[in-house]
Amino acid sequence: MSTDAIVLLKEDHKEMRRLFREFQDAQDGPPKRRQNLVNQILEALTVHTYLENEVMYPEVRRLLPDLEDDILESYEEHHVADVLCAELATMDADDERFVAKTTVLIENVTHHVEEEEQEWFPKVREALGRKQLQEIGERMLALRPDAPRTPTAPKALKKALDAVTA
Ligand SMILES: [Fe+2]
Ligand SMILES: [Fe+2]
């Protein structure tokens, strides 16, 4: 199994896209199914953005100062996703705004993931060595079991709040 940071993050993105498609297919079906898929989406996003914010983004910012603007934009995009995730976590699947809010979340994250994969991952891959990317990936794997799994977990809320107050 590869520990390359970009490979690991892309695997997460792939799983997110799969969940997004499943939600889109299920959005007019039973509320229970919608709820179940949104729970899975919230967990996947909470873990992923935590690992990027704690390990990948600060490391890239430190090693590649030229990418600072991309990183700052990414933090803001994560923050928008954090707010939507926290709101969705308190909503019922039969709320009239549930599907609309999930759709906006999916649109935002899809845009963000495309920018990561098409714009800055290639720059990072070019600038950092294989060994450096493996070390970053190993740090993310080590931190993963401690990552928050729901948007309302203390560590996830702290991240959302730090973005406003830092
Ligand atoms: Fe991201
Ligand atoms: Fe990502």
Side-chain angles (χ1 to χ4, degrees):
M1 192 186 78
S2 174
T3 64
D4 179 287
I6 291 176
V7 172
L8 295 176
L9 293 173
K10 279 187 171 176
E11 278 170 10
D12 281 358
H13 291 171
K14 199 171 154 199
E15 171 65 4
M16 280 173 211
R17 289 198 185 92
R18 186 186 69 76
L19 290 168
F20 292 168
R21 275 195 303 274
E22 273 202 57
F23 176 83
Q24 282 156 346
D25 291 343
Q27 65 181 28
D28 300 322
K32 224 178 156 172
R33 172 92 181 122
R34 284 204 289 278
Q35 183 73 65
N36 185 277
L37 283 165
V38 166
N39 290 347
Q40 292 180 62
I41 288 170
L42 295 185
E43 177 169 344
L45 286 178
T46 304
V47 171
H48 182 80
T49 57
Y50 183 81
L51 295 177
E52 285 187 339
N53 278 37
E54 290 292 317
V55 182
M56 184 69 175
Y57 288 6
E59 241 351 63
V60 170
R61 195 177 179 180
R62 189 174 69 80
L63 295 166
L64 305 170
D66 283 356
L67 293 187
E68 172 120 278
D69 289 349
D70 292 293
I71 298 286
L72 288 173
E73 189 181 321
S74 284
Y75 275 126
E76 291 306 317
E77 288 174 348
H78 280 195
H79 181 61
V80 171
D82 286 344
V83 171
L84 293 170
C85 285
E87 289 174 349
L88 272 171
T90 66
M91 279 169 85
D92 282 328
D94 47 14
D95 188 303
E96 66 169 8
R97 295 167 67 181
F98 188 84
V99 170
K101 205 178 281 290
T102 307
T103 301
V104 171
L105 175 68
I106 288 174
E107 285 169 0
N108 273 283
V109 172
T110 301
H111 160 84
H112 171 75
V113 161
E114 276 169 14
E115 277 191 352
E116 286 187 335
E117 293 196 354
Q118 286 160 25
E119 289 174 27
W120 71 270
F121 283 177
K123 294 184 205 163
V124 172
R125 162 85 60 216
E126 207 182 287
L128 297 187
R130 216 162 62 109
K131 198 160 169 284
Q132 270 173 314
L133 282 169
Q134 280 172 352
E135 277 165 15
I136 297 172
E138 278 157 22
R139 284 181 51 206
M140 287 196 291
L141 284 172
L143 189 63
R144 200 171 178 102
D146 297 325
R149 315 207 82 80
T150 65
T152 52
K155 279 187 206 166
L157 286 176
K158 183 178 180 304
K159 168 162 80 69
L161 210 63
D162 282 350
V164 184
T165 55

